[in-house]
Amino acid sequence: MAKPTAWFPVPKNSILPPAELHLWRVRCDGALETPEHYEHLLSPDEKERARRFVIKEARRDFIVSRGVLRELLALYLNTRPADIVLRYGIHGKPHVSRGEAQSSVRFNVSHSHGLAVFAFSQAEVGVDIERVRAEFPGREIAGRFFSEQEIAALGKLGPEESSRAFFLCWTRKEAYVKARGGGLQIPLRSFSVRLGENEEQQLVDEGGKQWSLYPFEPGGGFAAAAAVEGKDWRLKFWDRDGSAQRGGKDCNGALRSHVSPRGTAEGRTPQGPGPDLRK
Ligand SMILES: CC(C)(COP(=O)(O)OP(=O)(O)OC[C@H]1O[C@@H](n2cnc3c(N)ncnc32)[C@H](O)[C@@H]1OP(=O)(O)O)[C@@H](O)C(=O)NCCC(=O)NCCS
């Protein structure tokens, strides 16, 4: 059984030391404030994007996660949420712009079925969350998109185990391609991740850069992982609003307790060539 990740309540100050990777968990479907509160913080292009969502829940998840992102960035950067300027890489990865330069605070976001996770560090970072669904045709998707090594590892598992292992594998792969900024433009078959619960891993990309992969437990039947450039990161987990408790959902029982010394350390459709996991 995986050791549950333990999540801290919101810290008193929000300093991001160079060796730390901060992971935040936030509910979008029971957020502290109404979606209107968060919408107020968005830029005109974000408001326009929000307006284009057809599915109500997807619209809410976008507005709340973007608003909370702005609030968290404002804490780290000591500014106001609405003053944060976001720009986008060629494959759509957002970053904070400070004039012509990119801010030293790097971040990434993922949301799925009302739960969002945010990663902050001073190096390139990616994060992914997925709700684990037994009915999902994981083996079929794996056969089309995973590496031979991963397909073989999944094939050794029984149906129940392999269903969860698919999402553990998927979130690790997606965290890595999101950290690199290419998203699903990076062929998922071109690298392999390990499937063990809590199994951390180092990956080296084609350019020789080293990346660390950290699975973590977001609770409530979700799987998640973060990837960050470099190694020996010290991970910290923050629960923004104790939302899992308020929502009465099982978010691992260790909620608001403490720590993590791990690592020493729109109805959205994915654009690009990957499968639609219909988060
Ligand atoms: C990034 C990507 C993997 C996200 O997939 P997803 O599972 O649907 O969504 P997640 O909830 O995990 O992540 C979404 C967040 O990732 C971030 N993101 C977007 N593009 C990203 C990229 N290329 N790299 C890293 N992060 C990215 C955004 O913050 C986004 O949040 P938002 O939708 O609230 O703006 C997928 O959209 C992708 O592959 N995008 C690249 C496609 C591309 O190459 N487009 C070229 C321009 S047409």
Side-chain angles (χ1 to χ4, degrees):
M1 185 63 190
K3 199 172 97 213
T5 300
W7 297 79
F8 277 120
V10 174
K12 286 199 175 64
N13 55 32
S14 38
I15 295 162
L16 186 59
E20 289 188 4
L21 168 61
H22 288 188
L23 292 157
W24 290 75
R25 169 175 78 180
V26 176
R27 285 219 80 93
C28 300
D29 59 0
L32 286 179
E33 307 285 353
T34 60
E36 289 69 34
H37 162 87
Y38 294 106
E39 190 163 15
H40 182 67
L41 305 176
L42 305 190
S43 64
D45 62 304
E46 290 168 336
K47 286 181 184 157
E48 176 52 33
R49 193 175 153 203
R51 266 195 293 276
R52 291 201 301 266
F53 281 88
V54 178
I55 299 169
K56 200 172 138 225
E57 289 77 17
R59 179 172 184 274
R60 175 206 60 205
D61 285 2
F62 172 72
I63 292 172
V64 173
S65 63
R66 199 44 85 91
V68 170
L69 170 67
R70 285 180 167 276
E71 289 187 338
L72 295 178
L73 283 169
L75 280 176
Y76 284 118
L77 295 167
N78 194 23
T79 185
R80 290 183 309 183
D83 291 345
I84 303 277
V85 177
L86 296 178
R87 300 248 184 269
Y88 298 85
I90 48 170
H91 296 299
K93 182 173 183 175
H95 62 264
V96 180
S97 157
R98 292 226 136 167
E100 289 301 300
Q102 194 177 150
S103 163
S104 63
V105 173
R106 306 295 160 96
F107 72 87
N108 198 232
V109 180
S110 182
H111 38 86
S112 171
H113 292 92
L115 190 60
V117 284
F118 301 78
F120 298 90
S121 78
Q122 293 201 29
E124 283 304 338
V125 64
V127 69
D128 191 53
I129 184 171
E130 296 283 348
R131 191 159 64 87
V132 175
R133 284 153 282 162
E135 75 288 359
F136 191 80
R139 278 185 200 266
E140 188 196 318
I141 301 284
R144 289 168 53 204
F145 294 100
F146 287 4
S147 72
E148 281 179 21
Q149 205 175 314
E150 291 160 344
I151 295 167
L154 279 173
K156 289 185 188 145
L157 304 173
E160 224 169 275
E161 268 181 303
S162 101
S163 164
R164 177 166 167 79
F166 167 81
F167 286 101
L168 295 179
C169 186
W170 178 267
T171 48
R172 290 168 199 189
K173 291 178 86 65
E174 198 166 301
Y176 175 64
V177 297
K178 290 180 76 182
R180 291 180 56 188
L184 296 171
Q185 298 290 323
I186 297 174
L188 293 178
R189 272 184 206 286
S190 63
F191 63 97
S192 294
V193 301
R194 301 200 190 111
L195 301 193
E197 297 275 356
N198 289 334
E199 204 174 353
E200 294 173 6
Q201 186 180 347
Q202 304 291 314
L203 290 167
V204 179
D205 68 23
E206 305 80 27
K209 271 189 197 163
Q210 194 168 28
W211 301 84
S212 299
L213 197 47
Y214 298 106
F216 62 96
E217 180 58 65
F222 289 80
V228 60
E229 189 178 343
K231 58 180 190 165
D232 298 333
W233 290 90
R234 181 173 161 77
L235 276 60
K236 288 195 171 166
F237 296 89
W238 311 110
D239 186 44
R240 163 99 169 354
D241 45 22
S243 51
Q245 278 180 328
R246 290 183 306 105
K249 304 227 167 92
D250 165 30
C251 266
N252 80 26
L255 191 69
R256 289 178 167 277
S257 55
H258 215 63
V259 213
S260 147
R262 295 178 53 221
T264 45
E266 353 202 34
R268 285 164 307 121
T269 304
Q271 307 148 8
D276 177 1
L277 289 198
R278 297 202 188 280
K279 288 182 164 194

